[in-house]
Amino acid sequence: MLDRVTTVENAVAGYVRSGQTLMVGGFGRGGVPFTTLHLIANHADKYRDLTLIKNDANEPGIGIDLLLKQGQVKKLIATHIGLNPEFIRQMNDGEVECELIPQGIFAEKIRAGGAGIPAIMTDIGLGTEVAQGKATYELDGKTLLIEPCMRGDVALVCADIADKAGNAWWCGSNRNMCVVMGTACKRVIVEAKQIVETGRLKAEDIHLPSVFVDAVVPAGPLPHRGN
Amino acid sequence: MLDRVTTVENAVAGYVRSGQTLMVGGFGRGGVPFTTLHLIANHADKYRDLTLIKNDANEPGIGIDLLLKQGQVKKLIATHIGLNPEFIRQMNDGEVECELIPQGIFAEKIRAGGAGIPAIMTDIGLGTEVAQGKATYELDGKTLLIEPCMRGDVALVCADIADKAGNAWWCGSNRNMCVVMGTACKRVIVEAKQIVETGRLKAEDIHLPSVFVDAVVPAGPLPHRGN
Amino acid sequence: MAKRELTSAELTLLKRAAREVRHGMVVNLGIGLPQFLPEHLPADTDVTFHSENGFVGMGEGNPEGTPDSDVIDAGGRACRVVPGAAFFDSLTSFAIVRGGNLDLAVLGAFEVSVSGDLANWKIPGKLTPGMGGGMELAQKANHVLVISHHLDKRGRGKLVPQCSLPLTAPACVGTLITERAVFRRVDGRMQLASVHPDFDRESALEGIDADVPSAENLEPWEDKS
Amino acid sequence: MAKRELTSAELTLLKRAAREVRHGMVVNLGIGLPQFLPEHLPADTDVTFHSENGFVGMGEGNPEGTPDSDVIDAGGRACRVVPGAAFFDSLTSFAIVRGGNLDLAVLGAFEVSVSGDLANWKIPGKLTPGMGGGMELAQKANHVLVISHHLDKRGRGKLVPQCSLPLTAPACVGTLITERAVFRRVDGRMQLASVHPDFDRESALEGIDADVPSAENLEPWEDKS
C-alpha cells in the first residue's frame, strides 16, 4: 500500500484552491478537522470563494466559523446552524448564502455523489418549504422529490486513527458525516489524531478504506482548548 | 437491550410464511445462512411460493439450491447464477422465474428499501438489455434509469459473531449483502457462528446494529461439510 | 440526562409521556424537555435510545465529559452508552429513521394543528437554526409524540386550527401530551384522549381556538396500578 | 493466484498487459486469465487489488483455504490479503467502482467492437450466468483493459465491427491486448497501437473483419529498459 502521510501544509497546498467546493466532516466538534481548517483560515487571502458542505456551522470562533467570519465562504450547505448565532446573523443579513437540507437527505445526497448515483427520490420534506421549487416524479401514484447527488472537490475530515495508507477509524459519535464525505470528493485529506503503521487496523473494522484517501496528516492540538 | 436469542425453529416458525419475499445473505458460501435454509428446506410443504432475493443461486446441493430444486421458489432475483448449472437449466426451462440485476445496483435497490428511499436513478445498464422496459428520467440532459427500491418480508443472514441483543459482525468477505439485507426486511433472522454477551462487541465495530434484528439463532454445522 | 430544574407542570407531563413508552422500543428524544423523559420510565422498561448523530444505546449524561468528548448526543452534550450500543455514521442513523426502525420520536413543538401538522423548526425572521434531522424524525418515526406546556407565554394552546409557522411535517403528530391533557390523532384529526385529574374538559381545551372532539371513552390519566 | 498451465500466447499477452498497470493503481481483475496478471507485475509496482465481493488489498491465493474460508475472491477461491487491506460490504465495493475510485478493470471478452463496445456476459441460449458485477466494472472503471487470445477457436478475431452478443457496456473498452497486438480506443474508435515483434501489421489484424486504423506512431511492445 502507498504511504499517504504528509504535512497538513503540503496536503492543503496540493489540493485546496479558491473557488472549490469543500466537504467538511463533523457534527458538533467530533470529526471536525480543526487543524486543517485552522491552516486554511490562516491563509484567508489564498483560499476564498469557497462553497462549504458541512452538517453545521460550528460554534463561534472554532472550525469553519473561522472561515465564515473572514469572508472566505460564499455559500454554506448545512442541516443545522443553531449553535452559531453569529453565522445566523451573517445568513439573515445576506452576507453568506446558506442552503439548509434535512440531515438524512444531506447525508444521502453526499452518499449518492460518492457512490455514482446521480439522484435519489424521497418523500422527505413534502408538504414543507423544503419541497419548494424541487423537481418531482410520480412513482406508483406517489409524488416524490428528486434530490440530485452532491460531490465536492476536497473532503476534509478528522479521524481518531488512520494508518499510513489512509485507512481510517472513528471513535464514538465522531464518525457522523466523515465517512460519506470521504467517498464523495476528488481529493480526501484525513486529519488523524493517531497515525499507525499500515496493517495495524483490523481490516474488518476500517470505516473508510484507503482507496478513497489521498493524504493523511497529523491532527494538532485543539485550538479552542488552548493546548 | 432485549435478548433476541432463540432457536432457528422458533425464529422460522415465527416469521417465515409461504408466499413471502425472503432476502438471503451470501456471496459464494460466506454469509449464507445454511442452518436456517436447511430448516426451511426440511419443511418443503410448509414454505412454498417464495420469492428469494439473493446474490447467487449457491452451488447444487447447498443453501438455496435445496429450496430451488424442491420447487419451493417461484422467483429468484439475483446477480450471478453461474455456479449452479442445475438452476440455469431450471431457469431456461421456465420452471423458476429469474430476474438478473447488476450486482451493485442489486445492493443499492436493497439499500434504498432499507433506508426509506423509494427509488434511485442510475446509468448502469444503459445501452444494454438491462435497460429494456425500464422507466427513464432526463437529468441535466442525461438519460437515467429509475430503479425502485426492494424490500423483503424476512432477511436470513449468517454472521460470524452476534451478541444476544442482535448486534452482528462479519469476518473477511462474509459480509457481502448481509448487512444491507438486514436493513431492508420487516423481520431479520441473524444466524450466528458465535453468540456472545451483549456489550462484548466493540460499539464502533458493529456492522449491523441490533435495532434492525429480530432474532439471533446459533448456526449449526455446515451440512455440505459433513460435520 | 439534562440539567435544569423542572416545573411541576413539566414533571406532570413527563410522567404522563413516560407511559407512552413501551418495553423494547427504539426511541429518539428531541432536544429540550424530551431529554428528561428517561428518568421517568419504570426501571424495568428496556428502551433503546437513538441519537441521530450516530448511535443507538444512548445512556446517561457524562458529567466528566466536554463538548470535545468522543460521545456526544445530538445536542452536543457528552453522554454515555449502555452495553449493546452501536456507533455508526449519519447514513445508518437516518436509514434507521426512514426505514421504519424508529418506534417513537418525542419532540417539542411551536404549534400542532388539529390535523396533526407539526411546526417546530423555524420562526421566520426570529429563529432560523435549520431543520437538522427534525423533518425526518417527524415524518418517519412510527409514532410521533409531542410534549409541551399546555399554554404558551401568551396563553395560547399548542393545538391550533392550522399552523402559522413553516411545517416540519404535515399530518405527523400521533400524540400530544401537555400537563393538562392527552390528544391523539384518530382518523386524521386530533381528539381529546385523556384529562389530568386536576382539570376538567373545559380547562383541558383552554386556549385552543379549534373544534377538538373528545374520544368516546377518555383514557385514565394514571396507570391503574 | 490461479492454478493452471498458461500457454505461451497467454504468457505473452499477460506480460504486455502488466505494463499497463501503474504504481498506486486500484485494480479489479476479472475471473479467468486476468487473475494471472499479478505475478507478471514488476516487484516494485504497488498495486491495490479490489475484489468486488467486498475488499481491497487482495493478495495471493490461499492454498490452505476452501470455498468455506472467510476470505474468498469474487470467483469463490480462498485468498489472502495484504497489510492495509479493508473489508466492507457490497455497497461500498460498488461505490468504489461507480464513484470513480477503480483505476483499472482487467476483463475477458467474447467480443469487442471497433467502437469499444464489450460483450462478455451472455451467449443467449448457451451461457446465461448473469452479469454479476461485470456491467459496473465495464461501465465505470476509469480504464477498461480487455485481454484475450487474438483468435477464437474458429479463427475469428476478438475485434468485430459490431457485437453480435448482448452488450456488457457500450463504448467502454479503453485497451485490448492480445498476444499479437495492442488496440486502443482513440476518439471513440479502436486503433492498432502496438504489434508484437513476432508479427507484422497484417497478422496483427488477422481475423478482424473491420477497418482498424493504425496509430500514427506504434508503441514499442517491450519496455525500453
Side-chain angles (χ1 to χ4, degrees):
Chain A
M1 296 261 163
L2 301 181
D3 182 333
R4 297 186 172 91
V5 177
T6 183
T7 63
V8 65
E9 289 80 8
N10 279 344
V12 168
Y15 300 138
V16 180
R17 300 285 177 269
S18 283
Q20 282 181 336
T21 295
L22 307 183
M23 290 192 183
V24 183
F27 185 125
R29 298 189 189 171
V32 177
F34 285 111
T35 304
T36 310
L37 291 170
H38 215 252
L39 183 75
I40 294 173
N42 280 347
H43 295 85
D45 51 329
K46 206 166 161 188
Y47 305 113
R48 307 194 66 79
D49 297 318
L50 299 169
T51 297
L52 299 187
I53 299 178
K54 185 175 183 304
N55 179 65
D56 53 81
N58 282 129
E59 301 151 74
I62 69 172
I64 66 166
D65 182 64
L66 303 175
L67 283 66
L68 290 165
K69 77 174 175 205
Q70 294 184 139
Q72 294 174 264
V73 180
K74 67 177 174 191
K75 182 176 181 181
L76 172 65
I77 302 173
T79 82
H80 193 273
I81 53 176
L83 291 178
N84 192 336
E86 175 54 20
F87 174 70
I88 293 180
R89 187 202 57 73
Q90 285 186 298
M91 174 184 80
N92 286 339
D93 290 356
E95 291 173 21
V96 184
E97 190 186 348
C98 181
E99 180 183 349
L100 293 164
I101 301 177
Q103 200 164 91
I105 298 305
F106 176 91
E108 288 294 328
K109 284 165 76 82
I110 296 168
R111 181 182 184 277
I117 306 287
I120 61 166
M121 296 192 201
T122 181
D123 57 357
I124 296 296
L126 281 176
T128 78
E129 63 180 53
V130 162
Q132 283 168 21
K134 289 193 177 160
T136 60
Y137 186 85
E138 293 283 319
L139 186 76
D140 298 335
K142 286 182 186 156
T143 300
L144 298 170
L145 301 176
I146 292 171
E147 289 283 1
C149 73
M150 293 200 287
R151 281 188 65 86
D153 294 299
V154 189
L156 314 176
V157 301
C158 180
D160 287 87
I161 310 178
D163 70 19
K164 291 182 174 178
N167 291 301
W169 184 91
W170 278 264
C171 190
S173 54
N174 296 337
R175 203 182 325 174
N176 49 70
M177 301 286 181
C178 292
V179 171
V180 73
M181 287 178 166
T183 69
C185 294
K186 284 178 221 149
R187 298 293 182 178
V188 177
I189 301 174
V190 173
E191 172 179 326
K193 293 180 190 168
Q194 189 187 353
I195 298 175
V196 300
E197 292 299 320
T198 296
R200 280 282 303 282
L201 287 168
K202 193 164 170 61
E204 283 87 350
D205 299 339
I206 288 165
H207 297 145
L208 181 68
S210 65
V211 293
F212 291 107
V213 176
D214 294 279
V216 177
V217 307
L222 293 178
H224 55 277
R225 297 303 294 276
N227 58 3
Chain B
M1 295 258 164
L2 300 181
D3 182 333
R4 296 185 172 92
V5 177
T6 183
T7 63
V8 65
E9 290 80 6
N10 278 345
V12 169
Y15 300 139
V16 181
R17 301 284 179 269
S18 284
Q20 283 180 336
T21 295
L22 307 184
M23 292 194 182
V24 183
F27 186 125
R29 296 188 190 172
V32 177
F34 286 112
T35 304
T36 310
L37 292 171
H38 215 252
L39 183 75
I40 294 173
N42 280 347
H43 295 85
D45 51 328
K46 207 166 160 187
Y47 305 113
R48 309 193 65 79
D49 298 317
L50 300 169
T51 296
L52 299 187
I53 298 178
K54 185 175 182 305
N55 179 66
D56 54 78
N58 281 129
E59 301 152 73
I62 69 173
I64 65 165
D65 182 65
L66 303 174
L67 283 63
L68 290 166
K69 76 174 176 205
Q70 292 185 144
Q72 294 174 266
V73 181
K74 66 178 175 192
K75 182 175 181 180
L76 173 65
I77 301 173
T79 83
H80 193 274
I81 55 177
L83 292 178
N84 193 337
E86 175 55 19
F87 175 69
I88 293 179
R89 187 202 58 72
Q90 284 185 299
M91 174 184 77
N92 287 339
D93 290 356
E95 290 174 21
V96 184
E97 190 185 348
C98 181
E99 180 182 349
L100 292 165
I101 301 177
Q103 200 163 93
I105 299 305
F106 176 91
E108 288 294 329
K109 284 165 75 83
I110 296 168
R111 182 183 183 278
I117 307 287
I120 62 166
M121 296 192 200
T122 181
D123 57 358
I124 296 296
L126 281 176
T128 77
E129 64 180 51
V130 163
Q132 284 168 20
K134 289 192 176 160
T136 61
Y137 186 85
E138 294 283 320
L139 186 75
D140 298 334
K142 286 182 186 157
T143 299
L144 298 170
L145 300 176
I146 293 171
E147 290 282 3
C149 72
M150 294 201 285
R151 282 189 63 88
D153 294 298
V154 189
L156 314 175
V157 301
C158 179
D160 287 87
I161 309 177
D163 69 18
K164 291 182 174 178
N167 291 300
W169 183 91
W170 278 263
C171 189
S173 54
N174 295 338
R175 204 181 325 173
N176 50 70
M177 301 286 180
C178 292
V179 171
V180 72
M181 286 177 167
T183 68
C185 294
K186 283 177 223 150
R187 296 294 182 177
V188 177
I189 301 173
V190 173
E191 173 179 325
K193 293 179 188 168
Q194 190 187 350
I195 299 174
V196 300
E197 292 298 319
T198 296
R200 280 282 303 282
L201 288 169
K202 193 164 168 60
E204 282 88 350
D205 299 339
I206 287 164
H207 296 146
L208 181 67
S210 65
V211 292
F212 291 107
V213 176
D214 295 278
V216 176
V217 307
L222 293 178
H224 56 278
R225 298 302 295 275
N227 58 3
Chain C
M1 176 163 277
K3 285 182 234 164
R4 72 170 169 97
E5 285 294 308
L6 293 173
T7 65
S8 100
E10 286 168 342
L11 280 169
T12 298
L13 70 89
L14 281 166
K15 276 184 200 166
R16 182 59 188 80
R19 286 185 53 204
E20 304 290 311
V21 182
R22 309 255 177 276
H23 190 70
M25 273 186 167
V26 182
V27 178
N28 183 291
L29 302 174
I31 310 297
L33 210 45
Q35 295 183 290
F36 292 90
L37 196 67
E39 53 207 71
H40 298 283
L41 294 175
D44 58 346
T45 308
D46 191 336
V47 175
T48 299
F49 290 103
H50 168 264
S51 188
E52 70 261 31
N53 55 326
F55 54 111
V56 285
M58 183 165 59
E60 296 178 345
N62 176 1
E64 291 151 37
T66 77
D68 290 305
S69 292
D70 289 330
V71 183
I72 59 161
D73 68 17
R77 262 182 307 211
C79 63
R80 297 211 165 100
V81 292
V82 303
F87 292 109
F88 33 73
D89 67 358
S90 300
L91 290 169
T92 299
S93 185
F94 284 92
I96 288 170
V97 177
R98 290 189 312 267
N101 286 287
L102 182 67
D103 298 304
L104 179 67
V106 186
L107 305 173
F110 302 143
E111 296 175 319
V112 174
S113 83
V114 292
S115 55
D117 298 349
L118 173 66
N120 75 350
W121 76 282
K122 185 177 183 178
I123 302 175
K126 275 195 181 166
L127 186 72
T128 51
M131 70 293 283
M135 286 191 173
E136 282 136 312
L137 291 170
Q139 195 173 334
K140 291 297 181 179
N142 295 336
H143 194 88
V144 173
L145 166 61
V146 169
I147 61 176
S148 169
H149 294 95
H150 194 79
L151 300 174
D152 69 14
K153 288 165 193 162
R154 288 186 281 178
R156 291 178 314 192
K158 285 283 157 170
L159 204 53
V160 296
Q162 202 163 0
C163 291
S164 62
L165 296 169
L167 292 193
T168 308
C172 65
V173 177
T175 303
L176 165 64
I177 296 181
T178 77
E179 72 275 21
R180 297 190 189 184
V182 176
F183 302 89
R184 296 198 192 275
R185 185 158 53 102
V186 177
D187 297 332
R189 195 164 175 84
M190 301 300 288
Q191 62 180 35
L192 184 66
S194 184
V195 177
H196 186 277
D198 290 354
F199 296 91
D200 56 16
R201 284 194 196 207
E202 195 181 340
S203 48
L205 296 173
E206 188 188 333
I208 298 172
D209 182 26
D211 179 36
V212 178
S214 289
E216 211 157 303
N217 297 300
L218 288 187
E219 304 166 19
W221 185 269
E222 303 273 3
D223 273 320
K224 280 167 196 162
S225 62
Chain D
M1 178 163 277
K3 285 180 236 165
R4 72 171 168 98
E5 286 294 308
L6 294 172
T7 65
S8 97
E10 287 168 341
L11 280 168
T12 299
L13 71 88
L14 282 167
K15 276 184 200 166
R16 182 60 188 78
R19 286 184 52 204
E20 305 289 313
V21 181
R22 309 254 178 277
H23 190 70
M25 273 186 167
V26 181
V27 178
N28 183 289
L29 303 174
I31 309 297
L33 211 45
Q35 294 183 289
F36 291 90
L37 196 67
E39 53 207 70
H40 297 284
L41 294 175
D44 58 345
T45 309
D46 191 336
V47 175
T48 299
F49 290 103
H50 167 262
S51 189
E52 71 261 31
N53 55 325
F55 53 111
V56 286
M58 183 167 57
E60 298 178 343
N62 177 1
E64 293 152 36
T66 75
D68 290 305
S69 292
D70 288 330
V71 183
I72 59 162
D73 67 18
R77 262 182 307 213
C79 63
R80 297 210 165 100
V81 292
V82 302
F87 292 108
F88 33 72
D89 67 358
S90 300
L91 290 168
T92 299
S93 186
F94 284 93
I96 288 171
V97 177
R98 289 190 312 266
N101 286 287
L102 183 67
D103 298 304
L104 180 67
V106 186
L107 305 173
F110 302 142
E111 297 175 320
V112 175
S113 83
V114 291
S115 56
D117 296 350
L118 172 65
N120 77 348
W121 77 282
K122 183 177 184 179
I123 302 176
K126 274 193 182 167
L127 185 72
T128 51
M131 68 293 281
M135 287 191 172
E136 280 136 314
L137 291 170
Q139 193 174 334
K140 291 296 179 177
N142 295 335
H143 194 88
V144 173
L145 166 61
V146 170
I147 61 176
S148 170
H149 294 95
H150 194 79
L151 300 174
D152 68 14
K153 286 163 194 164
R154 289 184 280 179
R156 292 179 312 193
K158 284 282 158 172
L159 205 52
V160 296
Q162 203 164 0
C163 291
S164 63
L165 296 169
L167 292 193
T168 308
C172 65
V173 177
T175 304
L176 166 64
I177 295 181
T178 78
E179 71 276 20
R180 297 190 188 183
V182 177
F183 303 89
R184 295 197 195 276
R185 184 157 54 101
V186 178
D187 295 334
R189 197 167 172 82
M190 300 301 288
Q191 62 180 35
L192 184 66
S194 184
V195 178
H196 186 277
D198 290 354
F199 295 92
D200 57 16
R201 283 195 196 208
E202 196 182 339
S203 49
L205 296 172
E206 190 190 332
I208 298 173
D209 182 26
D211 178 36
V212 177
S214 289
E216 213 157 300
N217 297 301
L218 288 189
E219 305 165 19
W221 185 268
E222 302 273 1
D223 272 321
K224 280 166 197 164
S225 64

